[in-house]
């Protein structure tokens, strides 16, 4: 795992698509509620604080989607439908403690 580690510059985070270091605001099409997630790596993951790994089922489903796009993913035979409302750079100091 250490051999796969990469240096990350938060100033280079793009916000046109969901990726590492972004905060995604999503609308859950099943409930109508808004949810926000920060996408980071497996070591920073803290699902209770809505910090998810890009390797998790939701993180992988979010990856590379742009605002306005809808996506569907399934966990434990339950289907979830979302639309991406907004993407911004994550506040990494607030996301990882």
């Amino acid at each position: 795992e250490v051999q796969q580690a990469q240096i990350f510059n938060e100033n280079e985070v793009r916000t046109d698509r969901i990726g590492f270091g972004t905060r995604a605001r999503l609308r859950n099409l099943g409930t109508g509620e808004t949810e926000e997630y920060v996408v980071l790596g497996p070591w920073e993951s803290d699902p209770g604080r809505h910090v998810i790994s890009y390797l998790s089922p939701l993180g992988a489903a979010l990856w590379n989607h742009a605002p306005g796009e809808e996506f569907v993913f399934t966990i434990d035979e339950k289907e979830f439908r979302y639309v991406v409302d907004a993407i911004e750079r994550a506040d990494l100091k607030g996301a990882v403690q």
Side-chain angles (χ1 to χ4, degrees):
E1 292 177 347
V2 173
Q3 292 174 341
Q4 295 177 353
Q6 296 179 14
I7 296 174
F8 170 70
N9 183 344
E10 65 184 284
N11 295 321
E12 295 177 2
V13 171
R14 295 176 49 188
T15 57
D16 57 330
R17 296 201 167 268
I18 298 171
F20 190 91
T22 59
R23 175 183 300 278
R25 188 172 62 238
L26 313 172
R27 191 168 3 105
N28 183 319
L29 296 176
T31 66
E33 294 186 19
T34 298
E35 302 174 20
E36 288 191 13
Y37 296 94
V38 173
V39 180
L40 294 173
W43 297 289
E44 298 89 10
S45 179
D46 186 351
R49 295 180 58 220
H50 295 252
V51 178
I52 60 171
S53 167
Y54 65 92
L55 297 174
S56 70
L58 177 56
L62 285 170
W63 196 261
N64 208 34
H65 282 284
E69 290 184 355
E70 293 185 25
F71 66 95
V72 178
F73 78 102
T74 304
I75 294 180
D76 297 329
E77 299 181 19
K78 183 174 180 184
E79 184 176 274
F80 295 88
R81 299 179 61 83
Y82 288 93
V83 65
V84 179
D85 283 337
I87 303 167
E88 61 187 39
R89 283 191 183 120
D91 172 12
L92 298 181
K93 292 173 183 68
V96 180
Q97 295 182 8

